[in-house]
Every structure is written in structure tokens, then in C-alpha cells.
Amino acid sequence: MSIINHKHDHLIVSNPTLPILAQENVIIIKSNTTASESLKNFTSKHGIILLDEKFGMGFGENNNYVFEHLCNNKIITNNDYFLVINPDVIITNKELAKLKDEIKAHNSDIYTINLFYDKSFMKPELSVRKFPTFFGPLKGLLSKDYRSDAYDKSKIQQATNVEWAAGSFLLFKKQAYENLGGFDKRFFMYFEDVDICRRAKKKGMLLTYLPNIKAIHKGAFNNRKVYSRHFIWYLMSYFTYHLKS
């Protein structure tokens, strides 16, 4: 499990499921800013690897850094999976166990799950979508609850191949991530998930959405604050993606 930390120390330390997940899974937290003492103590106590180094990289490049660490230190094998997960995603050990069963039943290269905004799982996130048109993402900035390119999750009851899914939860076969060369580091933040899914499709790889696996995602949507750094990053990535297309 690869978690990129950019001043999310308190969010990570207060995550109730991470200590439990760390008992059976390798979790690496890559800090993009100097880690606090509370985060250092938390990771040390629960056997979580903390990479408190190489600051200032983007989301995709940080995940590539984690993947290289796993490979160079022989922590990951060709039979393993590489999970990219946001620090504000909460998944229980029960759901993760169900996920492991699901991937045995549905052979794919990349997987994603059913993300919700609330604990009661009543407000689904529009996290699985079709590849964006030029104006689609700009219209999506106006509302987090509407995207014309989003799949209607209420109509998907079984494992289904989709075009792309949010980078807040993407599970890759180790060899798939390797063959893709990881994320494109030209995307500092935003659209790196669209790009890697598009490149996967071009290579004939499958991305499978598993609707029965649920988790909570407390998304901030900072890209909607006009003139903020996030908004600028969003626009830069938006044009990078379409120019690359």
C-alpha cells in the first residue's frame, strides 16, 4: 500500500484502520514534507515504512518512488499487487479481505472499488468514468456531484471493466505497473490517473471496477478554489493530458 503524505500527518495518525491493515500488509507512507514526530511514532509503533525524504515531487512521481523502493529492496514480487491509496481513504480489513477474494475471481490488470463520501455508504463518489472530452472536466469543476462522463454506479451490480478510475484507490498487478512505467511524472497533480488508465487501455490492459468492495473517501476538492495552487495544477495537468492525447 502506497500512501503519499502531503501535510496529512494528523489524518493518517487518526485513521483507525491503518494499524490493523499493517498487521497483514506492507504499508509505505512517502512524506512530501518533513514528517511530524506523531507520524514518526505512529509508523514506528505499527510497523509501517516511512520514507521521510525527497520532498517536492508530484503525486505520480512519489508513487513511482515508493514502487522503486519496494523493487530495489525486494519487498514486492511478480505475484504481488501495488495499491495506490489516498491518505483520506478509509477501508476496513474486512473489505480488504473481500477485495483479495474478488481479484482471484476476476482476472484483470488494474482494479478499483466503490468509494463513498459517508460512513453509511449512501453518497457514492463519481470515481469511475469514461475518458474525458476536452470540455468535460471544466464543467465538472462546477459540481462534485455531477459529471457527464461518470458511470452510473447504481446500474453496476457486478465486476465491470471501465475506462478510468480515480487515483485515490487503484490496485495494480505488480507487472502491470512495471510495464506501464508507473505514472507520468509530468503530471504533478491531477489527470495522472486518467493518463495511466488510458495508457493501460492502449496496451490492452483491463481496469475492473468491483462494486461490492466499499470504502470511505473524504475528498477535499481543492481544485475548485479558483487561483489556488490546486486549481493551477489542475489546469496545467488538464492541458498536458489533452495535448498529449
Side-chain angles (χ1 to χ4, degrees):
M1 297 176 66
S2 175
I3 299 174
I4 307 307
N5 171 42
H6 188 80
K7 299 181 180 179
H8 298 111
D9 300 49
H10 175 71
L11 194 63
I12 294 171
V13 170
S14 62
N15 188 320
T17 63
L18 276 183
I20 300 171
L21 298 179
Q23 294 175 12
E24 298 181 8
N25 305 277
V26 175
I27 298 177
I28 295 186
I29 295 173
K30 166 63 177 68
S31 263
N32 210 27
T33 52
T34 303
S36 63
E37 288 302 315
S38 62
L39 181 59
K40 291 178 182 178
N41 293 334
F42 175 81
T43 53
S44 176
K45 178 180 179 181
H46 298 293
I48 296 172
I49 300 171
L50 175 62
L51 301 180
D52 190 19
E53 59 199 31
K54 291 281 287 185
F55 306 135
M57 297 188 293
F59 175 82
E61 191 173 7
N62 269 304
N63 277 296
N64 293 346
Y65 189 85
V66 171
F67 186 77
E68 290 175 11
H69 178 89
L70 289 166
C71 293
N72 292 340
N73 290 278
K74 295 181 171 56
I75 301 173
I76 192 170
T77 71
N78 287 338
N79 296 320
D80 290 328
Y81 293 82
F82 180 61
L83 174 59
V84 173
I85 180 171
N86 272 19
D88 57 352
V89 170
I90 300 176
I91 185 169
T92 65
N93 200 38
K94 180 181 178 181
E95 291 298 302
L96 198 61
K98 284 168 58 179
L99 173 60
K100 292 176 181 179
D101 289 336
E102 287 270 352
I103 61 179
K104 291 177 183 177
H106 304 285
N107 186 36
S108 190
D109 301 284
I110 313 170
Y111 301 86
T112 192
I113 63 172
N114 202 352
L115 296 174
F116 292 80
Y117 294 118
D118 60 319
K119 295 180 180 179
S120 57
F121 300 118
M122 296 299 291
K123 298 178 181 178
E125 180 181 355
L126 306 181
S127 55
V128 287
R129 304 171 184 168
K130 297 177 182 178
F131 293 123
T133 60
F134 187 79
F135 291 108
L138 292 181
K139 293 178 181 178
L141 285 174
L142 301 175
S143 172
K144 72 177 183 180
D145 297 318
Y146 175 76
R147 281 291 297 265
S148 60
D149 54 358
Y151 288 88
D152 186 348
K153 287 184 175 182
S154 66
K155 296 180 179 179
I156 305 177
Q157 306 300 323
Q158 58 187 6
T160 302
N161 293 334
V162 295
E163 293 190 2
W164 76 275
S168 44
F169 194 107
L170 284 175
L171 178 67
F172 298 84
K173 281 185 176 178
K174 184 261 187 181
Q175 289 181 302
Y177 195 85
E178 201 165 46
N179 291 340
L180 288 165
F183 289 101
D184 186 337
K185 67 180 183 180
R186 285 178 291 178
F187 297 90
F188 184 81
M189 189 177 292
Y190 306 114
F191 284 90
E192 64 283 296
D193 43 11
V194 194
D195 174 73
I196 199 170
C197 291
R198 187 187 65 172
R199 288 190 284 116
K201 186 176 179 63
K202 286 183 176 180
K203 286 179 174 288
M205 295 181 181
L206 297 177
L207 164 60
T208 302
Y209 165 58
L210 303 172
N212 296 325
I213 312 301
K214 300 177 181 179
I216 302 167
H217 181 209
K218 302 175 180 179
F221 297 96
N222 289 314
N223 57 306
R224 292 189 175 80
K225 299 174 182 177
V226 180
Y227 303 125
S228 69
R229 284 187 304 165
H230 287 268
F231 184 75
I232 299 301
W233 289 334
Y234 185 89
L235 286 181
M236 290 175 62
S237 293
Y238 168 83
F239 287 111
T240 298
Y241 173 79
H242 285 288
L243 289 172
K244 187 177 177 182
S245 299

